[in-house]
Amino acid sequence: MLNGVRDPAPTVPAPSPARRAPPITTSTAPSGGAPGAPDAADAPDAEPGRRRFLTYLLAAPTLTVAARLGLDAAAPATARAAVNAAANAQTSSAPPQLIGLPGIPDVLDLGDALILAGLPTSHLLVLELTAAGRAVLHLPRLEVGQGLTTAVAMLVADELDARLADVDVPLSDGRPELLFNQLTGASNSVRSLYDPVRAAAAAARARLVTAAARRWDLPAGTLRTADSAVLAPDGRRAGYGELAADAAAITVPAVSSAPKTADRLRLVGRPTGRIDARDIVTGRAKYTGDLAVPGAVPTVVARPTTVNGTLDSLDATAARAMPGVLGVVRIPSGVAVLAETFDQALKARDALVTTWHPGPAAGLSDADVRDRLRAANAPFLVPPLLTAHVDGEFDFAFVNHAPMEVLTAIADVRPGRAELWFAAQTPIVAQQTIAAELGLPQDAVTVHVVRGGGSFGRRLFFDAALEAAQISKAAGRPVKLMWTRNDDMRHGRMRPASHHRVRATHALGQVLSYEHRAATVKTDMRHGLGEALTAAGFNLSLAGISLNQAFFLLAEKNPYNVGLPTQLLTEVPLDVHTGSWRSVYSGTVRVADEIMMDELARRMGQDEVAFRRARLRDAAGRTVLDAAATAGNWGRPMPPGQAQGVGYHDENGGRAAYLVEIDATDPKNPRVTKAVIAADVGQVVNPRGLEAQLTGALMDGISVILQAGNHLDNGAFREGSYGDFHYARQRHSPPAVEIHLMPPSGPPGGAGELGVPAASAAVANAYARATGTSPRSFPINF
């Protein structure tokens, strides 16, 4: 793009789905641009301007994930030998295991489906080279602390041979043309962006080299790139900034624009600090609450006493008379108060005299919800004679998302247009929905995506932005709306409560069948795949299968050979606000499965790790499980009241095993004292970022298994802040955490949600072994 003119998009052939990508290794040597023949796939550029250029490329991501089969060589040899000996002892005399049927995700998982849906618009990725020498990748995703901007900057810098400090990754505004390609979720961002980002940067590098070759009248194949510059054999150097305008005029580059081979990568796979770390710790990073939009006044909302209650009466006389109050506005969800400061707005909100009609869930409490869920799960048939079986029933509480940054949105609604600023995982459907609410055409609404301070799925919904737009329109002025922690805890999105009924039959050392019936309060997925069409579809069903159930089928599988496996989802409608919580269905389904694997192993007289290992269908999964068991010294003697527990999970092209040690000598105050984590997610872009994700998942698992949940009391949620929502604190974190990452073996898999089910299961299983109990309701201390 040159002064507003976009280049036609060169295309890169899609790799064969059956092809495995070669392992990627890290090289510390300079990895300059390689000479090569002109890339026949490069299409002619449009007439260039003189300031900058952008590249738009189509690069179909690889849809297969290659698995690494090697054991972590750093594991102690004696411990590894002990684990192998235990596994051999348990399995050598056992009969061969029945081969279980593969699950749908073994063929096509949710991430694959999202990538396929986004292929038609993946060519709209934008990489800009400026005259100042900055490489700017406009990221069509949301940064919420997961380190995505750093990973993408590393990809750009590596392919472009730029200094990492010269790469910027701003967040794109809502772009409706990016159909299915501007949703942040399903652990899919790196997985879906890996190939397109590398292809865009490689194409830019080829044009820069060609521009320098023309300037110096040298063969392009004799030039190399390093440190954001093109270098000639005679020592001449041209920075990318000074070549940008000439590079924009290149029609067909004189060297290949294919991404680098594995041996030439220098950043990918190397632990790297976040590019925004200093800005975050010094306060320079801007969140929505930090933005100073002209005229936007602090705003808060008074909300009903029960979930989804409605206003009966309002007396705002006293509130309107208070210092700094600028207005009081009714909206469908409550009463908004606008003031000069948030303190004034909050005080005036408390001075409102209101009465509320009860919401549709009034009178319902946890026990009522639990009864409804249990009734929705049909009882099992009587098992066949002479066949032993293990049954388990599990209840999981509602859990709030509770991101550190409270929900905040700025809206400036004027006649004929609207402009909004907020942290949006789904900016396109937000734009479409807000436009419809305001009676505006979609292109009259601008959504500026702002970094968020945590999400865990919460920002898939844009409740605060919709309210801010309603308030701004009614008040006739820009507003900065803040939801308090109480607002979100009591009126925001929850991971749905669920009930699980599981039965496994076994005989002669074989697991013959495994049936898992999950009943959950319906998960609201009306954000769809990030746009209005699929958002509307989540209210419909096809041949009796809803899109929620399709999501479930694409995400859930049992990774073990357990004879004939079946998994069923029944969703119970309940008029409370729900939403996808980190790891969505797997955060409860797979935890129940892993608890059952422990109980099956003990019932059949086998070691829990060896039992899993003998039945894992995936060799890479066995490697991950072995690595965790070996490094964690599985089976070591422990004092009474202390024990180890293990959990495994396989989803979104990644695998993770957690081994934890717990001290439950006081069952009401258990403490995880150590965690060993092993993971294989294919090519790791930034190991440091992945380690942070896996550690965060550990804290999530500790929280939701031991202590963190939300109570529904007579149609209202009891907890209102971190003071009574008992999420893990620093004192609950284990003093020792080890993380072992398997060597890269293919393109990236998903990692953001991968660890939550495995960590949760490991904590639950450790608690059970330490206390001699079999907890069935979570969190345990609720």
Side-chain angles (χ1 to χ4, degrees):
M1 179 174 183
L2 303 113
N3 294 337
V5 179
R6 288 185 174 175
D7 303 336
T11 60
V12 177
S16 167
R19 187 183 68 192
R20 289 178 180 263
I24 305 299
T25 58
T26 301
S27 171
T28 57
S31 57
D39 191 343
D42 290 332
D45 296 319
E47 180 64 27
R50 304 301 301 168
R51 294 290 184 185
R52 59 182 183 165
F53 78 90
L54 309 180
T55 59
Y56 294 75
L57 295 176
L58 170 64
T62 303
L63 300 183
T64 57
V65 176
R68 179 69 181 185
L69 307 184
L71 181 63
D72 183 359
T78 53
R80 187 187 314 125
V83 170
N84 290 340
N88 291 336
Q90 293 286 351
T91 59
S92 59
S93 60
Q97 296 302 313
L98 294 175
I99 303 301
L101 296 175
I104 292 175
D106 290 313
V107 180
L108 179 78
D109 69 17
L110 180 63
D112 295 334
L114 289 173
I115 292 170
L116 287 170
L119 281 180
T121 61
S122 62
H123 65 286
L124 297 177
L125 184 68
V126 180
L127 174 64
E128 175 186 0
L129 265 294
T130 73
R134 308 297 300 174
V136 184
L137 192 289
H138 297 265
L139 181 64
R141 300 291 189 277
L142 175 64
E143 172 67 71
V144 287
Q146 76 275 46
L148 179 59
T149 50
T150 299
V152 169
M154 292 172 67
L155 294 175
V156 172
D158 224 346
E159 287 296 339
L160 198 57
D161 283 325
R163 293 181 292 259
L164 186 60
D166 292 340
V167 180
D168 299 317
V169 186
L171 307 183
S172 295
D173 287 349
R175 296 176 56 195
E177 70 272 19
L178 290 177
L179 192 64
F180 307 124
N181 238 330
Q182 203 173 7
L183 177 145
T184 307
S187 299
N188 198 49
S189 291
V190 170
R191 192 177 176 190
S192 61
L193 292 170
Y194 183 74
D195 283 341
V197 168
R198 293 175 62 228
R205 172 170 43 83
R207 285 165 168 77
L208 290 163
V209 169
T210 303
R214 291 182 181 179
R215 174 179 295 189
W216 296 328
D217 195 22
L218 291 173
T222 66
L223 308 181
R224 65 187 183 93
T225 51
D227 294 330
S228 303
V230 180
L231 309 175
D234 58 10
R236 280 181 286 181
R237 179 185 187 279
Y240 288 166
E242 59 185 292
L243 291 170
D246 291 343
I250 301 300
T251 301
V252 178
V255 294
S256 172
S257 60
K260 293 179 181 179
T261 56
D263 59 317
R264 295 170 55 217
L265 295 172
R266 59 189 176 87
L267 283 178
V268 170
R270 177 177 295 181
T272 303
R274 290 183 54 148
I275 61 173
D276 53 2
R278 183 178 296 275
D279 287 346
I280 291 172
V281 300
T282 60
R284 291 182 59 190
K286 299 299 182 185
Y287 300 85
T288 306
D290 299 317
L291 302 181
V293 173
V297 299
T299 304
V300 296
V301 172
R303 303 184 186 278
T305 52
T306 57
V307 176
N308 286 328
T310 55
L311 186 65
D312 180 21
S313 66
L314 168 68
D315 183 352
T317 305
R320 292 181 189 276
M322 294 180 70
V325 174
L326 301 173
V328 177
V329 174
R330 293 190 185 198
I331 57 174
S333 53
V335 182
V337 178
L338 294 68
E340 294 175 358
T341 69
F342 277 112
D343 180 63
Q344 292 169 333
L346 289 166
K347 288 177 178 176
R349 185 187 69 172
D350 294 341
L352 294 172
V353 179
T354 56
T355 59
W356 302 90
H357 294 295
L364 290 180
S365 296
D366 286 340
D368 305 299
V369 175
R370 191 177 303 116
D371 289 344
R372 290 190 182 189
L373 293 173
R374 291 183 175 184
N377 261 335
F380 289 122
L381 299 175
V382 176
L385 293 175
L386 304 178
T387 302
H389 68 279
V390 177
D391 284 357
E393 293 195 45
F394 307 90
D395 293 294
F396 294 85
F398 289 102
V399 178
N400 192 264
H401 293 78
M404 185 65 71
E405 179 205 15
V406 296
L407 301 182
T408 310
I410 299 172
D412 183 1
V413 178
R414 306 289 177 91
R417 70 165 183 83
E419 195 169 4
L420 296 102
W421 295 257
F422 61 101
Q425 289 180 253
T426 54
I428 298 173
V429 71
Q431 179 192 43
Q432 293 167 327
T433 304
I434 292 169
E437 172 68 20
L438 299 176
L440 294 173
Q442 182 178 339
D443 60 6
V445 177
T446 300
V447 171
H448 301 292
V449 179
V450 185
R451 73 163 57 235
S455 179
F456 317 106
R458 178 62 182 93
R459 301 178 196 277
L460 286 165
F461 284 93
F462 40 91
D463 310 299
L466 180 59
E467 283 187 344
Q470 294 167 337
I471 297 165
S472 179
K473 179 180 180 180
R477 65 189 307 163
V479 299
K480 178 186 286 188
L481 172 65
M482 179 182 71
W483 282 39
T484 66
R485 180 70 61 199
N486 272 258
D487 289 343
D488 196 31
M489 197 74 73
R490 291 176 173 150
H491 298 276
R493 303 282 168 176
M494 297 280 172
R495 181 189 78 176
S498 63
H499 174 73
H500 303 257
R501 184 169 287 157
V502 186
R503 168 172 287 176
T505 63
H506 62 95
L508 303 176
Q510 303 275 6
V511 180
L512 304 178
S513 66
Y514 189 93
E515 189 170 359
H516 187 144
R517 300 179 181 180
T520 78
V521 173
K522 185 174 181 179
T523 303
D524 190 345
M525 291 189 178
R526 286 176 295 171
H527 49 73
L529 300 184
E531 44 60 62
L533 181 63
T534 56
F538 273 91
N539 286 325
L540 307 174
S541 64
L542 180 63
I545 298 178
S546 69
L547 286 183
N548 285 44
Q549 290 169 317
F551 183 109
F552 180 86
L553 293 172
L554 287 171
E556 299 308 305
K557 67 175 182 179
N558 192 314
Y560 303 103
N561 288 318
V562 285
L564 179 63
T566 58
Q567 293 187 127
L568 301 175
L569 171 68
T570 301
E571 293 199 297
V572 177
L574 188 66
D575 202 352
V576 299
H577 303 297
T578 62
S580 298
W581 195 90
R582 192 179 187 189
S583 202
V584 198
Y585 297 110
S586 297
T588 55
V589 171
R590 286 289 299 121
V591 175
D593 288 342
E594 286 294 295
I595 295 172
M596 287 292 292
M597 291 301 289
D598 259 32
E599 297 188 8
L600 271 168
R602 289 193 288 269
R603 182 73 63 88
M604 296 171 71
Q606 297 185 35
D607 171 83
E608 293 91 335
V609 169
F611 182 80
R612 286 174 171 80
R613 192 182 192 283
R615 289 163 177 80
L616 270 171
R617 296 198 302 269
D618 182 43
R622 291 192 291 273
T623 298
V624 168
L625 182 64
D626 288 348
T630 299
N633 196 10
W634 170 257
R636 75 180 184 88
M638 300 189 72
Q642 300 181 33
Q644 296 175 315
V646 69
Y648 174 83
H649 184 55
D650 171 348
E651 188 174 6
N652 293 319
R655 305 157 185 83
Y658 280 65
L659 185 155
V660 305
E661 297 184 356
I662 199 168
D663 183 346
T665 49
D666 178 1
K668 292 296 183 183
N669 292 287
R671 170 76 184 277
V672 174
T673 57
K674 183 178 181 180
V676 176
I677 307 166
D680 182 348
V681 297
Q683 175 63 64
V684 179
V685 176
N686 185 4
R688 191 167 294 167
L690 176 56
E691 290 168 358
Q693 292 273 28
L694 295 170
T695 305
L698 170 64
M699 299 310 297
D700 286 342
I702 291 170
S703 299
V704 298
I705 292 300
L706 298 180
Q707 61 198 48
N710 294 81
H711 295 83
L712 183 68
D713 289 337
N714 294 317
F717 283 101
R718 182 191 307 171
E719 290 77 15
S721 72
Y722 288 129
D724 50 12
F725 176 60
H726 299 300
Y727 215 75
R729 308 300 203 267
Q730 187 171 356
R731 67 180 183 273
H732 300 120
S733 60
V737 176
E738 298 176 18
I739 298 177
H740 301 267
L741 304 180
M742 300 299 100
S745 56
E753 300 165 284
L754 174 67
V756 174
S760 301
V763 174
N765 286 333
Y767 183 92
R769 297 178 81 233
T771 61
T773 64
S774 296
R776 289 295 190 259
S777 184
F778 301 97
I780 293 168
N781 294 317
F782 192 40

